[in-house]
Amino acid sequence: MMQPMGAGPSTSIFEKEDSITGLNFVAWFFAQTQKDPNFYPLERSTITFFNVMNFKTINQRFSYQGGNEYLCRFRDELQKLFEGEKVLRAGADHLVVISLNLSVEEIALRIKLLNKAMTSYEKGLRNQIKAGIYIADGTPQQPIVMMDRASLACREVHGIFNREYAVFDEELNKKHEQKQYVLEHFDEAFEKGFFKVYYQPIYRTLNKKVCGYEALARWIDPNRGMISPLIFIEVLEKVHLIHKLDAYIIDQVCKNLRDDIDGGYAYQPISVNLSRLDFELSDIKKVVDNAVAKYNVPKEYIVLEVTESAFASDQESLGDIIHCFREDGYQVWIDDFGSGYSSFNNLQTYDFDFLKIDMNFLRNFDKTPKSKVIIASIVDLAKKLGIHTLAEGVETEDQYEYLKRIGCELIQGYYFAKPMPIDDFHNKRAELCGFETNETPAERRYYDDMGRINFLDNSPLTRKRMDVTNEIPIALIEGENRVYRTIFANKAFYQEIRSFGANDINEVLSLLTPESALYCFKRLVYSEEYNETVEYNLILNNSVVKTKVRFLSRMGTKAVYAFMAKNISAHEKK
């Protein structure tokens, strides 16, 4: 454990007192408990380990002297909030509280108050302080083990904005133990073939036929059964071994695809997930090309899913590789769209064939109406950009029907099928591998062309021009003392009113008879109810014009209305 550089004279953590904060060091405190059992009843204590997020930023902004001042303020707040308990320094930006009299709930409250106080501190930079809590069980334990468990709990909430602390428990202990197992047995699992490829079918919403598969890595351990990918993928990414696993999955996918082709079965495009580290630690393009050449499979049947987190760094290089993949005939999809802060920037910067909507939008589908609006907006945006759409995590009939209605083309989730090993498909070939349940290549092209239609657009048949258009003629009209002016009008509105001889709203009103004009606004001029609407048909210059006026808002003597007009006669002639 190191002190911040530039923090004054070097002090060993095995000395009694920290020269910066004046606190006792944890290492010294633990050494005393080992020497003298009566020094402190550690076996009955609760250890809370604190870590300042992005502490380097404080040092960079305010110099190391400013960082030291921050630590002293941090110490002061802890001593005030945890009066009567032991507050210690663990090195770097870590402070520790060892308490005998506080419950987890009481500690959690103090953590919240600590963050509130440190956020208001001028050198706080809105840095969040995370904490891990370990509760001793009353049996003698090695102090370093207790500290490690509190630290481990703290690491559980790193990067999770809405969680300030975690408590070490049996579940966390098991998760940690599994991670250690992954580190120690990865090579063995790789060499002995414990990693298997599971395939989850992807379905077309319009015909409910299989039109693709996603390849997913599974670790089937002879002693532990299935090890969760949430465990081993995180570990392999952390120790920079994930590219080795992904290369193996790509090879197996190409092999399985070759087997289906040779066996005369209905094969489909298969997507494989690429990590950010695949681009950094390997020549991923070469890895894919070699596997495709080795098994002689069509490139258009290999889909590369790039998760949003991959775009966090080295964007230019990543963009070049994606471009090369697509130029060579591979499909490239963006995975987990909407899960990251840079979703829309990625659409602006890169070209994709498909956009996979993050499954989290469907988790609260029934309880949160906003989810439906967001999903529809994503589908609408993707189609305007010429990108196909897929929703993952579909689990109910209602979700499926909604996605079909808004024009989301493909779906994936437990509603249709769970991920399965290749043997399950082989054992159910008649059911899973025939053209009765799978799209043919001709069907795929046929339905992909259908998928370009945007059912959410008010002009779904208009050829997309990378432009934002609205074919509904609409204007915002402001009125004051029966004098009206146009605040906004779209192109369609001006085209419509010109078709019956008017150039602006005042000319439209001048064409009305006094009685009609009075009828037009009489109910709305003094309206206070948002969205109150009047609809009517008028004869203007021998044209039948359908008109709708809606009151929007009032400010003093001014009022604003939405005004829509459609020349029915002109449209009937067309």
Side-chain angles (χ1 to χ4, degrees), residues 16 31 109 142 190 207 314 356 397 571:
K16 179 178 180 180
L109 176 59
Q142 288 292 327
F190 200 78
N207 60 15
D314 198 14
K356 288 188 73 172
E397 176 76 15
H571 288 281

Side-chain angles (χ1 to χ4, degrees), residues 12-26:
S12 168
I13 60 173
F14 292 102
E15 295 181 9
K16 179 178 180 180
E17 191 174 280
D18 170 32
S19 62
I20 295 172
T21 63
L23 296 172
N24 290 151
F25 277 114
V26 168

Side-chain angles (χ1 to χ4, degrees), residues 154-215:
C154 185
R155 290 199 297 274
E156 275 296 295
V157 290
H158 282 201
I160 305 177
F161 181 78
N162 61 348
R163 289 187 62 190
E164 294 179 322
Y165 73 94
V167 180
F168 185 89
D169 55 16
E170 186 56 37
E171 182 179 349
L172 182 56
N173 185 44
K174 182 179 179 181
K175 182 178 178 182
H176 175 63
E177 196 271 334
Q178 285 182 318
K179 288 182 179 180
Q180 288 299 119
Y181 186 87
V182 168
L183 282 173
E184 294 169 7
H185 294 84
F186 169 73
D187 288 334
E188 177 190 5
F190 200 78
E191 292 169 3
K192 295 183 178 180
F194 296 162
F195 285 106
K196 305 294 182 183
V197 182
Y198 275 46
Y199 294 93
Q200 185 171 28
I202 297 169
Y203 290 81
R204 181 84 60 178
T205 54
L206 290 179
N207 60 15
K208 287 191 175 183
K209 281 192 172 185
V210 176
C211 56
Y213 297 92
E214 180 179 6

Side-chain angles (χ1 to χ4, degrees), residues 529-542:
E529 183 178 347
Y530 176 73
N531 275 355
E532 186 173 347
T533 303
V534 170
E535 296 184 46
Y536 53 92
N537 290 344
L538 296 171
I539 305 298
L540 301 176
N541 285 346
N542 297 318

Side-chain angles (χ1 to χ4, degrees), residues 393-412:
V394 180
E395 296 184 351
T396 69
E397 176 76 15
D398 287 345
Q399 292 172 353
Y400 161 70
E401 290 294 344
Y402 177 76
L403 292 165
K404 179 181 178 180
R405 179 159 57 88
I406 64 174
C408 183
E409 298 164 70
L410 308 184
I411 58 174
Q412 176 184 358

